Amino acid sequence: MDSKKGPGSQRNPGAEESRDLEINPGLKKSTDLKTPDLKTPDLKQALDLAGRTLSARRFRHTLGVASLAEDLARRHGLDPARARYAALLHDLAKEIPEKQQVCLAQRWHLIRYSEDESCPSVLHGPLVSYWLANCCGLADRDILAAIAHHTLGAPNMSRLEMLIYSADLAEPGREFPQVDNLRQALYHSLEKGTLTCVEHTLHYLEESHRPIHPLTRLTHEDLRRRHGFGT
Ligand code: DGI
Ligand code: FE
Ligand code: FE
């Protein structure tokens, strides 16, 4: 097994290792089989965990999300350290093979919509959040919700949830044509900027003929109701 790759590179791990990796998606090799203790938030520990769990490309993206999340937190009066911490952990389960993500989500009772199984790329946020809360002792509910909702959003998001959702889409490594507009909108207003991000995602999914998850629609409706009028 190539220990330089993320958990997505697992081919035929031994039965015991496979079981441990299933309950411990943040780890990629047998010598690491130890669940991190995250009861006390520590940015260095989160950085190390992301660095040894993720591929180089995904780690670069994670650092980009952390940087934008920290900037936006400063700009909008949120705690930059909490924003950075949530960002560093947000994609830890992204590289677990999707079949395995579906199995874990079933076992942990995280399947809420049929789309969760038909579009498993939406599961990694809820999976990491569950794992951090139930295996690693992370207790900050707002950080857990921000991680759980970073892909689809949710109705009634807190400002930290909006910030992680949006920083994930608009981090400095993203290069799609409208990304500068999204960043500007986010610096101007976190709430309206997040609405712009959700609208961008809806547009992108429609253009690429991908099914829109019910939570993406609910998030959109909620943000429009709360922040969309008078713009
Ligand atoms: O994990 P990242 O790549 O950083 O970004 P993400 O957590 O936003 O995940 C992006 C993936 O989620 C991408 O494959 C598209 C998918 N996605 C997001 N919203 C929806 C969705 N897929 C479907 N089918 N429907 C959605 O509403
Ligand atoms: Fe993600
Ligand atoms: Fe991400």
Side-chain angles (χ1 to χ4, degrees):
M1 183 167 45
D2 183 350
S3 65
K4 290 203 175 63
K5 291 193 179 147
S9 65
Q10 296 291 323
R11 285 271 148 72
N12 287 313
E16 203 167 295
E17 184 177 336
S18 168
R19 196 195 61 232
D20 284 339
L21 286 164
E22 277 183 29
I23 56 168
N24 211 345
L27 299 173
K28 65 181 176 187
K29 54 186 180 181
S30 52
T31 49
D32 279 346
L33 290 178
K34 192 165 164 287
T35 302
D37 178 352
L38 303 178
K39 284 190 200 77
T40 311
D42 175 343
L43 283 170
K44 167 87 172 48
Q45 186 189 20
L47 182 70
D48 288 349
L49 184 57
R52 70 190 155 88
T53 304
L54 300 171
S55 63
R57 184 172 153 272
R58 180 66 38 191
F59 184 51
R60 261 198 312 279
H61 158 71
T62 292
L63 294 179
V65 180
S67 162
L68 180 57
E70 211 175 344
D71 281 359
L72 287 173
R74 281 207 183 86
R75 167 102 180 108
H76 295 300
L78 279 79
D79 180 347
R82 282 174 81 227
R84 184 172 179 79
Y85 191 72
L88 287 172
L89 301 176
H90 84 283
D91 265 347
L92 279 185
K94 177 82 178 183
E95 290 170 329
I96 296 174
E98 287 192 347
K99 255 185 158 175
Q100 201 178 332
Q101 290 191 42
V102 173
C103 289
L104 275 175
Q106 287 167 343
R107 184 185 313 166
W108 291 345
H109 305 288
L110 298 174
I111 305 286
R112 301 269 185 275
Y113 300 91
S114 61
E115 289 81 353
D116 296 342
E117 286 176 310
S118 56
C119 315
S121 60
V122 306
L123 285 173
H124 61 283
L127 283 174
V128 181
S129 178
Y130 181 96
W131 176 70
L132 293 169
N134 292 282
C135 303
C136 311
L138 202 156
D140 185 322
R141 285 181 174 275
D142 203 14
I143 289 178
L144 291 169
I147 293 170
H149 300 149
H150 83 262
T151 302
L152 299 172
N156 222 7
M157 280 196 285
S158 69
R159 284 162 62 74
L160 183 66
E161 288 177 75
M162 290 186 212
L163 192 146
I164 298 298
Y165 175 93
S166 300
D168 186 35
L169 184 61
E171 59 100 352
R174 303 274 201 206
E175 286 180 333
F176 51 89
Q178 309 85 345
V179 71
D180 277 337
N181 294 346
L182 297 183
R183 287 183 198 127
Q184 275 175 26
L186 286 165
Y187 276 102
H188 188 65
S189 158
L190 180 57
E191 290 80 3
K192 293 199 173 108
T194 303
L195 175 57
T196 311
C197 287
V198 179
E199 283 170 347
H200 169 88
T201 297
L202 278 169
H203 188 68
Y204 164 78
L205 291 165
E206 275 159 9
E207 291 270 289
S208 50
H209 305 289
R210 296 174 68 170
I212 294 170
H213 193 286
L215 264 179
T216 298
R217 289 202 191 284
L218 290 172
T219 302
H220 183 225
E221 282 161 22
D222 175 69
L223 287 171
R224 274 191 55 178
R225 188 174 44 76
R226 289 200 286 157
H227 307 292
F229 298 111
T231 48

